[in-house]
Each structure stands twice: as structure tokens, then as C-alpha cells.
Amino acid sequence: MSLRKYLTSRVFGVQVLIAVAIVAALAYLFMHWLTFTTDHGHEISVPDLRKLTEEQVQTKLDELDLDYELLDSVDYRSDFLQFSVVEQDPSPGTKVKVGRKIYIKVNTSGFSSVRIPNLIEKTYREAVPTLRALGLEEGTVTYVPNLGKDMVLEMRFKGRNLKVGDRVLKSSKIDLVLGDGKMSYQEEENAADTLSVPIEEIPVNEQ
């Protein structure tokens, strides 16, 4: 039988149909196996883990067949309990597959301390951003007579004067004493006395 006759024969056509059917069946089985192994279509909504302890996180995620990893701790936040979750990734409500790892960051045990910077003779506008950059807060602002308007003259914490390099806890409120741009009463008196002193007469040489 020639090749041409074989390719057009019924036997070849049946063999081609059988081969196509086998390939289709294998593709179908492979797709089902892939769906089963990757758990396609079966997704879990990530729970809100914030403010939970690490033990509570583990219990909650075990129930959902999810895992977690502790990445780091963050600066102490007073609105969260010590060692409770502050941040998580993925965020709550995100759809993930079974076995997905959730990354968490927990609150530290307390505020860390920072050194007081040198704000003396800095302007108020310069002082406040410096405090905030260090995690400190602006407290009470009072003014005293001084020619340096809005210039920092003293730094105080809970009534005591602070020196450069003193340590306070983060989030502490630092009170600032500023100049009001006016002379003090004593300076005004001195200035008035100076202006009131008469000019001594220069003696004229007798001829």
C-alpha cells in the first residue's frame, strides 16, 4: 500500500481519532491534577490579626491552614498592647491560598529613649520638626521677655530643665520657653538710664 493510500485509508483515520482522544484525556487529567495540587479556586480570606498576641495569631491561623512569620518589632505604640501585632502582610480581607504565610510585626515592650538635641537659640520653627523627627512631641510653649523673638531659651520636661544630651522616652512632651521679642524690665531700665545720663561739659581752656 502506498503512503498516499494509507493516509487516506479508514485505518489511518481511526488511529488519528484514537490519538486525539488519548491526548485530550491526558490533558484533562493533567488539568485536574494541577487544580488539585495547587488548590485552585480554594481561597481563604486573611483575618485581622492586629492587636492579637503571637500565641493568638498561631491558634487563629492554624484553624485556617495558614502560617505566619514574625518579621520584626516596631517602636512602641501606646494604642497597642505590648507584644501584640501592629502590622500584617497581606492585609485583612485579602484572598490567599491554603498554606500561605502571613508576615507580622509586633509592638515592643515600651518606649525607647532618645537624647535631647541642642535646640537652644534655635527658632521655634526649627525646634518643632527636630523634636518630631526624634519621636518627641511639642509640649507647653511659654514666652519670657527676650529680644530673640520665638528663639528657644530653655527646654523643660515635667517641670525640670533639660540639658543637651539628657535622655527621655520617645513620645515625651518637651516644653519650650521662647523669647517674646521684647526687652526685659531690667534691660528697659538700663536703656532708659543710659539715655538720661547728661553729657558732661567739656571744659574750655582759659586763654
Side-chain angles (χ1 to χ4, degrees):
M1 181 181 293
S2 66
L3 178 61
R4 183 177 180 180
K5 287 184 177 181
Y6 174 72
L7 295 177
T8 57
S9 66
R10 184 178 178 182
V11 174
F12 178 75
V14 171
Q15 290 176 339
V16 169
L17 290 176
I18 292 174
V20 170
I22 292 173
V23 171
L26 289 175
Y28 177 79
L29 292 174
F30 174 76
M31 292 303 296
H32 271 268
W33 174 82
L34 189 63
T35 300
F36 175 77
T37 55
T38 59
D39 204 20
H40 180 71
H42 183 198
E43 295 182 324
I44 301 170
S45 181
V46 175
D48 190 350
L49 305 176
R50 290 169 297 185
K51 298 191 175 182
L52 298 182
T53 64
E54 193 171 348
E55 292 77 12
Q56 291 172 326
V57 167
Q58 184 171 6
T59 301
K60 196 174 191 68
L61 294 184
D62 283 346
E63 295 172 353
L64 298 172
D65 291 328
L66 297 175
D67 198 3
Y68 80 95
E69 181 176 337
L70 176 61
L71 286 182
D72 198 1
S73 58
V74 299
D75 286 341
Y76 181 70
R77 291 180 53 176
S78 58
D79 52 333
F80 286 82
L81 294 175
Q82 294 180 1
F83 306 114
S84 64
V85 177
V86 175
E87 299 176 15
Q88 67 177 88
D89 182 35
S91 57
T94 303
K95 298 292 185 180
V96 297
K97 294 179 180 179
V98 171
R100 173 65 185 270
K101 187 173 289 186
I102 311 300
Y103 299 95
I104 62 174
K105 292 183 180 181
V106 299
N107 204 17
T108 54
S109 59
F111 289 115
S112 56
S113 64
V114 293
R115 290 184 182 277
I116 292 295
N118 186 8
L119 302 179
I120 303 301
E121 296 187 355
K122 301 287 185 181
T123 64
Y124 175 76
R125 288 188 176 183
E126 293 174 320
V128 172
T130 302
L131 289 176
R132 290 175 180 171
L134 293 171
L136 300 172
E137 298 179 14
E138 172 195 357
T140 303
V141 175
T142 55
Y143 288 88
V144 296
N146 189 281
L147 286 175
K149 183 173 176 56
D150 292 330
M151 184 175 69
V152 177
L153 303 176
E154 294 179 18
M155 301 175 290
R156 296 174 181 172
F157 177 63
K158 294 183 177 180
R160 67 181 179 88
N161 286 346
L162 292 172
K163 300 189 299 296
V164 176
D166 285 349
R167 283 192 172 274
V168 295
L169 295 178
K170 278 190 175 182
S171 291
S172 295
K173 291 187 176 181
I174 307 302
D175 300 330
L176 299 175
V177 178
L178 309 178
D180 62 3
K182 302 175 182 178
M183 290 189 295
S184 66
Y185 176 75
Q186 187 63 42
E187 288 174 329
E188 289 177 347
E189 274 195 338
N190 292 339
D193 291 343
T194 301
L195 293 173
S196 64
V197 173
I199 300 175
E200 294 182 1
E201 294 184 359
I202 301 175
V204 179
N205 296 329
E206 296 180 359
Q207 296 181 353

